[in-house]
Amino acid sequence: MRFFTSLAQVPEDFGPSAVTIGKFDGVHLGHRSVLGALRDAAAESGLTSTVLTFDRHPLSLLDPANCPTALVSNDKKRELLADTGIDATVMLTFDRAFSRLPAEQFVRDVLVDALHTRVILIGPDFRFGARGFGEVGLLTELGKELGFEVRVLEARRSGGTRRVSATWIRRLLAEGDVAAAARLLGRPGSIRGVVVHGQQRGRTLGFPTANLSPRVEGFIPADGVYAGWLSVDGNQLPSAISIGNNPTFTGVPDRQVEAHVLDADIDLYGKTVELSFVQRIRGMRKFVGLDELIDQIGQDVTVSRRILTNPDDLITN
């Protein structure tokens, strides 16, 4: 997949293209349905299938207090888009100047002059340009004038009822229902971070953990213990993952993320790892003493191993 972070990087002979526009946060099943239609439209007419997206949620600039946490980082989004088989992604910086770009100028400068768009695929509620004044009707009229076709797609729905959305997925993750979120994403939700030195409590208890730096990329699920995978250097390792402040001890930061790799003790300090969440095992709670905690961790490890060995045998939260 070709990847550009500005219109200046797009070569003059780019395209002609079939384009879709959106945040594509999480690249979930709804997005993948759109991208499948994009690939088909491009193949029909020998066009370059192209995603136009942005480096941040527009609300991070326009209304920061109401801006949702991203499901994935920009690097992860790039990887997920590449995996769908599209030809190119243009990830523009959503800054103050871009937010003020009039709708018609956006169409002429970006879609026509830079991407040489012949077909554009959008949802029925698509808005564009300064203050979102541009809508489907205006885009259709400009398409007739400037030589591109507008195709309006229906949203992908889960079970034929509710529209798949990043908002819905965030809500599920915030509730700890990572299994339901995975069904909408088409894969387990995940986060990335650098492994740092902790207080070595896990090793003392017989269950060494990889502690992630507070600077985590992605949406962290609700506090609790999860069965999941730790990916590093091309290897995927079964793990029991803990999120929270571990109230049995004092001084543990809120939302601390740590993973115990099952049946292995490897040095991960300084490495960037990805944690994928398969199933929530339990919530975070305080234990009376270390013996009770050690016993519970042992049970968590056993349950995690069973879930990861038999992914169809998920437990009920």
Side-chain angles (χ1 to χ4, degrees):
M1 182 188 74
R2 303 171 75 182
F3 182 73
F4 311 101
T5 57
S6 71
L7 295 180
Q9 293 178 353
V10 179
E12 293 184 3
D13 62 350
F14 182 82
S17 63
V19 175
T20 190
I21 306 172
K23 295 182 289 294
F24 290 94
D25 186 19
V27 193
H28 54 61
L29 290 184
H31 296 142
R32 289 174 184 273
S33 178
V34 172
L35 296 173
L38 176 69
R39 292 194 307 270
D40 291 344
E44 288 172 7
S45 304
L47 303 174
T48 300
S49 56
T50 304
V51 166
L52 177 61
T53 188
F54 309 100
D55 70 331
R56 69 200 74 182
H57 196 295
L59 289 180
S60 67
L61 180 70
L62 304 177
D63 188 6
N66 291 308
C67 181
T69 302
L71 291 174
V72 297
S73 66
N74 285 337
D75 286 343
K76 181 67 174 180
K77 178 163 72 170
R78 176 179 178 177
E79 293 172 14
L80 292 170
L81 287 171
D83 287 343
T84 67
I86 61 170
D87 297 319
T89 290
V90 180
M91 184 181 291
L92 298 181
T93 299
F94 193 92
D95 55 16
R96 189 67 64 182
F98 188 86
S99 72
R100 293 170 176 164
L101 196 64
E104 292 193 20
Q105 186 178 349
F106 168 79
V107 171
R108 293 178 185 275
D109 291 356
V110 180
L111 297 182
V112 177
D113 293 345
L115 302 183
H116 306 121
T117 302
R118 295 291 180 269
V119 177
I120 181 167
L121 287 74
I122 56 172
D125 56 353
F126 176 69
R127 312 289 296 190
F128 63 100
R131 299 184 181 181
F133 284 166
E135 38 72 44
V136 174
L138 175 59
L139 188 63
T140 301
E141 290 302 314
L142 289 171
K144 293 176 182 178
E145 175 188 345
L146 299 172
F148 60 84
E149 175 190 356
V150 177
R151 299 184 187 179
V152 180
L153 302 176
E154 290 299 321
R156 169 76 178 259
R157 297 184 181 276
S158 177
T161 55
R162 186 173 179 179
R163 182 173 68 89
V164 178
S165 70
T167 299
W168 185 7
I169 294 168
R170 275 190 288 269
R171 183 175 298 115
L172 290 170
L173 292 173
E175 295 169 352
D177 196 349
V178 296
R183 290 192 287 272
L184 301 182
L185 285 165
R187 67 184 189 284
S190 63
I191 60 175
R192 280 181 180 171
V194 176
V195 176
V196 297
H197 288 277
Q199 297 178 324
Q200 305 294 315
R201 288 196 181 103
R203 184 170 297 279
T204 301
L205 299 175
F207 299 94
T209 61
N211 292 261
L212 266 58
S213 161
R215 297 175 61 86
V216 171
E217 298 178 4
F219 193 101
I220 302 175
D223 287 3
V225 178
Y226 297 82
W229 300 93
L230 183 150
S231 298
V232 61
D233 298 334
N235 298 311
Q236 190 179 59
L237 307 171
S239 303
I241 305 167
S242 171
I243 300 172
N245 65 359
N246 198 338
T248 303
F249 302 103
T250 59
V252 181
D254 288 339
R255 313 244 63 205
Q256 173 68 56
V257 180
E258 51 188 316
H260 169 67
V261 176
L262 307 187
D263 307 317
D265 187 2
I266 55 178
D267 183 3
L268 295 171
Y269 291 122
K271 290 184 177 291
T272 298
V273 302
E274 182 166 321
L275 301 181
S276 302
F277 301 91
V278 175
Q279 175 71 26
R280 190 175 194 233
I281 298 172
R282 63 174 175 86
M284 186 63 62
R285 64 187 181 89
K286 184 175 182 178
F287 294 91
V288 175
L290 292 183
D291 289 343
E292 184 182 3
L293 174 59
I294 291 170
D295 180 67
Q296 181 61 62
I297 295 175
Q299 294 180 47
D300 296 338
V301 167
T302 299
V303 174
S304 295
R305 184 180 292 108
R306 174 166 63 84
I307 291 171
L308 298 173
T309 303
N310 303 288
D312 293 331
D313 186 26
L314 298 183
I315 63 174
T316 301
N317 287 340

